[in-house]
């Protein structure tokens, strides 16, 4: 491990100071010319009226501070992403709010949403935490998996606006766990989506431990107080059935305390690998061996620990090729006083944490990050970073003066050449400070909710209301691509899409999971800057099929079917 860490640091030093861009990094202006983009909080006017119930009643039980997650899901295939909000419930014997359930809001296509929870059959009460979206039975309608304290649940989309709880019939019933992040992944590339579920710690109402910050009052314990528990891998057998493949696939590890889950191909061999962000335990990176098994590689890859050899408190995760190097790099949010991890993929199996030498690291040192993702908010063709922040302890200011319970989010604009600049205050509407205001945030996801080609944001808060932010003001062009698999899974999860426009080349992968307990839309958005078309598009499907398109105009969402090509398109509406 020490040799790997030293090599990690040496490469980072060489890259930072021997790079031909070093002089540019010193002399470049604070930012480049960009559109004046703002994020407007439209939650109330959009019809989203929801308050998260974390079940807290004064005892400070650990699960109360962890959620909630959220998701964008186009459950009725009308081309407008709908919103799913995860909720918890009161603890037995401590009811105070009545029944609280999941919430599904239908996107009306005019900037408003309608609560269709009861009509959809999702008015289910459980101590929910996370969500993953995917079409596990390839019927053309996306299904919902909800992680929970206790029994997690799988809801089948019936295709008529309703969902059915199929947890028992699918073979997922039984595990009573503290389940957190989840992601759909076709790990054996058989065309059927499998499911990986992170689990946190061994906790129950009976085994709750007393912890304190000030010696007088109970506080939320850190996960170090509890034993870990393994993630689970559910293999899709077809016909709506799953089997537990955790042990035979090599993912069993009872020391893990998992929160975030990301699926990405870290060695570019065409097979999906799995990253699990662990809280106070080493992160895990499972290399797909292409035979139904995985090999854990986080230590030699350099992402298990911090540069000084410490296991940090990993929360949210995401993976993307942010510098167009050809390989996917990583972000992992961590606890306060640990800063975000920005792991650059060196392309040889090793990652280097660039955060300590970047504005990303300096800006996130004190804040506690949860939800996070790469997305191109200004459509300039470079992947930016969003981080949702919020502490777990409401009395933290009394013992740590630099740390706050409610914290503002971070938005970092990608300037190219591996540089990022924080622009959180610049994108806040002048009429208020909604976007940049402090929040006790947890989950976060993105989608284009109004079909204008710009990505909007959804952020949840613990025991509070969510925030839906509309992206306004950009003039850059974009192209959105929706995939429909035939031999591959219907959602095209795991497919890699490469877009060339002039000399600019970029790629994205369709993925479930990432962020923290949340799910962004499955449609891919490619920012094209000032270019009005993509010269070439290449799609590498999980089945091995390669489809190519040429001369595709910007300003639209195209649907591409495996082995058939473009089958539909929709022009953007007005911004």
């Amino acid at each position: 491990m020490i040799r790997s860490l030293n090599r990690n640091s040496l490469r980072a030093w060489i890259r930072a100071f021997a790079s031909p861009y070093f002089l540019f990094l010193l002399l470049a202006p604070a930012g480049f010319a960009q559109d004046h983009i703002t994020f407007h909080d439209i939650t109330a006017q959009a019809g989203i009226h929801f308050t998260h119930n974390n079940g807290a009643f004064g005892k400070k039980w650990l699960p109360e501070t962890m959620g909630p997650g959220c998701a964008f899901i186009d459950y009725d295939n009308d081309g407008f992403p709908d919103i799913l909000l995860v909720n918890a419930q009161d603890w037995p014997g401590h009811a105070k709010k009545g029944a609280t359930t999941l919430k599904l809001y239908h996107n009306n296509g005019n900037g408003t949403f309608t609560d269709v929870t009861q009509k959809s059959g999702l008015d289910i009460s459980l101590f929910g935490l996370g969500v993953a979206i995917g079409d596990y039975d390839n019927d053309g309608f996306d299904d919902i998996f909800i992680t929970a304290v206790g029994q997690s649940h799988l809801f089948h989309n019936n295709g008529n606006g309703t969902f059915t709880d199929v947890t028992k019939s699918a073979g997922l019933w039984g595990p009573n766990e503290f389940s957190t992040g989840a992601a759909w992944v076709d790990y054996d590339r058989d065309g059927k989506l499998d499911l990986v579920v992170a689990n946190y710690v061994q906790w129950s109402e009976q085994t709750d431990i007393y912890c304190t910050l000030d010696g007088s009052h109970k506080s939320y314990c850190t996960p170090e107080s509890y034993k870990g528990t393994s993630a689970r891998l559910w293999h899709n057998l077809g016909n709506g059935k799953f089997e537990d493949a955790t042990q035979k696939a090599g993912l069993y590890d009872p020391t893990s305390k998992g929160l975030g889950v990301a699926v990405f191909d870290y060695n570019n061999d065409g097979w999906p690998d799995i990253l699990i962000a662990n809280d106070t335990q080493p992160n895990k990176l499972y290399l797909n061996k292409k035979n139904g098994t995985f090999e854990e590689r986080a230590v030699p890859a350099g992402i298990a620990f911090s540069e000084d050899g410490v296991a940090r408190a990993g929360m949210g995760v995401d993976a993307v090729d942010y510098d167009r190097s050809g390989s996917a790099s990583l972000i992992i949010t961590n606890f306060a006083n640990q800063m975000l991890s920005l792991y650059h993929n060196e392309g040889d199996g090793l990652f280097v944490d660039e955060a300590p030498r970047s504005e990303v690291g300096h800006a996130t040192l004190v804040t506690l990050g949860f939800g996070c993702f790469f997305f191109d908010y200004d459509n300039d063709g470079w992947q930016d970073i969003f981080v949702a922040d919020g502490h777990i302890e409401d009395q933290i200011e009394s013992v740590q003066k630099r740390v706050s319970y409610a914290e503002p989010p971070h938005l970092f604009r990608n300037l190219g050449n591996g540089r990022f600049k924080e622009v959180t205050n610049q994108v806040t509407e002048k009429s208020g400070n909604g976007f940049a205001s402090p929040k006790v945030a947890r989950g976060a996801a993105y989608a284009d909710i109004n079909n204008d080609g710009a990505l909007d944001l959804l952020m949840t808060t613990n025991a509070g209301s969510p925030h839906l932010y509309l992206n306004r003001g950009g003039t850059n062009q974009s192209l959105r691509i929706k995939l429909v698999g035939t031999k591959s899974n219907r959602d095209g999860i795991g497919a890699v899409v490469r877009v060339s426009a002039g000399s600019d080349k970029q790629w994205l992968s369709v993925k479930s999971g990432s962020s923290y307990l949340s799910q962004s839309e499955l449609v891919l958005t490619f920012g094209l800057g000032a270019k009005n078309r993509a010269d070439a598009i290449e799609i590498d499907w999980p089945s091995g099929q390669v489809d190519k398109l040429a001369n595709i105009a910007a300003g639209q969402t195209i649907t591409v079917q495996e082995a058939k090509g473009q089958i539909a398109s929709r022009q953007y509406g007005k911004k």
Side-chain angles (χ1 to χ4, degrees):
M1 179 185 73
I2 299 299
R3 180 164 53 189
S4 174
L5 291 172
N6 287 340
R7 183 186 177 202
N8 200 341
S9 300
L10 177 60
R11 286 196 174 210
W13 190 91
I14 293 173
R15 290 183 73 251
F17 295 101
S19 165
Y21 295 113
F22 179 60
L23 185 60
F24 169 80
L25 296 181
L26 289 176
L27 301 178
F32 301 119
Q34 63 171 315
D35 290 335
H36 181 62
I37 293 171
T38 55
F39 282 96
H40 289 245
D41 191 333
I42 63 167
T43 314
Q45 69 190 67
I48 307 295
H49 304 290
F50 172 87
T51 301
H52 172 242
N53 175 20
N54 67 357
F57 63 99
K59 293 293 186 179
K60 293 204 169 184
W61 286 351
L62 182 60
E64 299 166 357
T65 194
M66 302 307 297
C70 60
F72 285 107
I73 170 176
D74 185 5
Y75 74 92
D76 56 355
N77 290 338
D78 66 354
F80 288 93
D82 312 297
I83 289 175
L84 179 72
L85 298 172
V86 180
N87 211 349
Q89 62 182 358
D90 294 326
W91 297 105
H94 301 281
K96 63 183 186 300
K97 295 183 179 179
T100 50
T101 72
L102 305 170
K103 284 291 182 180
L104 179 65
Y105 288 91
H106 177 258
N107 189 333
N108 300 321
N110 61 2
T112 67
F113 292 76
T114 299
D115 185 345
V116 295
T117 309
Q118 188 172 12
K119 177 182 177 182
S120 71
L122 290 174
D123 51 341
I124 304 296
S125 185
L126 72 167
F127 205 100
L129 290 175
V131 53
I133 304 298
D135 183 2
Y136 75 88
D137 59 350
N138 291 325
D139 67 352
F141 293 91
D142 282 333
D143 310 297
I144 299 170
F145 182 75
I146 301 291
T147 64
V149 177
Q151 177 66 57
S152 298
H153 288 259
L154 176 62
F155 297 96
H156 177 260
N157 188 333
N158 300 318
N160 60 359
T162 68
F163 290 81
T164 300
D165 189 338
V166 295
T167 311
K168 289 184 178 179
S169 62
L172 301 175
W173 191 267
N176 192 306
E177 295 169 319
F178 193 153
S179 298
T180 51
W184 295 98
V185 51
D186 184 5
Y187 74 91
D188 54 358
R189 290 174 45 174
D190 65 353
K192 301 184 294 290
L193 288 176
D194 313 298
L195 182 65
V196 58
V197 182
N199 289 307
Y200 196 35
V201 295
Q202 297 181 36
W203 177 93
S204 69
E205 302 168 45
Q206 295 73 30
T207 60
D208 184 70
I209 298 173
Y210 182 90
C211 297
T212 180
L213 284 175
D214 58 11
S216 301
H217 304 90
K218 188 182 182 192
S219 63
Y220 292 108
C221 294
T222 69
E224 294 168 304
S225 305
Y226 297 94
K227 292 182 179 179
T229 183
S230 178
R232 283 188 187 269
L233 180 66
W234 295 98
H235 178 239
N236 191 334
L237 299 173
N239 300 316
K241 302 288 186 180
F242 292 82
E243 66 172 352
D244 188 343
T246 309
Q247 298 227 23
K248 70 179 182 181
L251 260 70
Y252 182 73
D253 175 16
T255 69
S256 283
K257 299 176 181 180
L259 290 175
V261 178
V263 177
F264 73 116
D265 181 6
Y266 93 90
N267 60 347
N268 293 327
D269 65 353
W271 291 76
D273 309 305
I274 298 171
L275 167 67
I276 296 180
N278 278 323
D279 191 353
T280 70
Q281 287 292 111
N283 298 318
K284 301 295 180 180
L285 178 59
Y286 293 99
L287 173 67
N288 195 324
K289 300 293 291 295
K290 311 177 188 179
N291 60 1
T293 68
F294 293 82
E295 177 185 348
E296 209 285 298
R297 299 290 298 275
V299 170
I303 67 169
F305 305 92
S306 64
E307 284 193 327
D308 52 0
V310 175
R312 289 183 279 192
M315 308 288 185
V317 292
D318 199 15
V320 86
D321 182 5
Y322 71 81
D323 64 345
R324 301 183 182 174
S325 66
S327 298
S329 296
L330 304 170
I331 50 173
I332 302 177
T333 52
N334 297 304
F335 209 76
N337 300 310
Q338 291 184 340
M339 79 173 53
L340 178 144
S341 303
L342 177 61
Y343 287 112
H344 182 263
N345 191 333
E346 300 291 284
D348 57 359
L350 179 68
F351 292 81
V352 171
D353 190 357
E354 299 286 355
R357 291 159 290 279
S358 76
E359 185 166 335
V360 170
H362 302 156
T364 59
L365 177 59
V366 177
T367 51
L368 198 168
F370 278 93
C372 64
F373 46 74
F374 292 100
F375 77 135
D376 186 3
Y377 83 93
D378 55 358
N379 283 329
D380 66 352
W382 296 90
Q383 294 292 310
D384 311 300
I385 296 174
F386 174 78
V387 182
D389 298 312
H391 211 277
I392 64 168
E393 177 55 59
D394 57 4
Q395 299 298 316
I396 190 63
E397 291 99 332
S398 64
V399 293
Q400 294 187 37
K401 302 303 181 185
R402 293 196 310 159
V403 180
S404 301
Y405 180 49
E407 301 171 328
H410 295 291
L411 179 62
F412 297 99
R413 183 169 183 255
N414 189 335
L415 304 181
N417 301 319
R419 294 184 67 216
F420 291 89
K421 176 178 175 56
E422 181 158 23
V423 295
T424 307
N425 290 321
Q426 295 177 28
V427 300
T428 297
E429 54 192 305
K430 292 182 179 179
S431 59
N433 64 341
F435 183 76
S437 65
K439 304 171 184 67
V440 186
R442 293 294 184 263
Y446 62 82
D448 179 6
I449 65 170
N450 58 342
N451 188 38
D452 68 351
L455 292 173
D456 311 297
L457 289 172
L458 178 64
M459 188 185 342
T460 67
T461 63
N462 184 42
S465 300
H467 296 271
L468 180 62
Y469 292 103
L470 188 66
N471 183 334
R472 291 178 176 169
T475 60
N476 282 335
Q477 301 281 347
S478 69
L479 174 65
R480 288 165 50 78
I481 302 174
K482 177 182 179 180
L483 300 187
V484 177
T486 50
K487 186 177 180 181
S488 302
N489 68 86
R490 180 71 178 231
D491 284 323
I493 289 175
V496 174
V497 180
R498 307 177 195 277
V499 171
S500 300
S503 60
D504 292 336
K505 300 181 186 300
Q506 54 183 305
W507 66 273
L508 294 171
S509 179
V510 182
K511 59 192 176 186
S512 173
S514 288
S515 190
Y516 175 78
L517 308 182
S518 299
Q519 170 83 56
S520 295
E521 67 174 349
L522 295 173
V523 179
L524 300 179
T525 299
F526 289 88
L528 300 179
K531 299 178 178 64
N532 61 10
R533 65 184 56 252
D535 299 322
I537 299 174
E538 181 175 295
I539 303 168
D540 297 329
W541 296 87
S543 66
Q545 170 72 25
V546 177
D547 289 329
K548 297 181 179 181
L549 294 82
N551 197 27
I552 304 297
Q556 61 176 331
T557 301
I558 65 170
T559 301
V560 181
Q561 184 173 318
E562 185 176 12
K564 189 173 182 179
Q566 182 177 333
I567 59 173
S569 65
R570 170 185 275 183
Q571 302 297 312
Y572 294 164
K574 293 182 179 180
K575 290 192 176 182

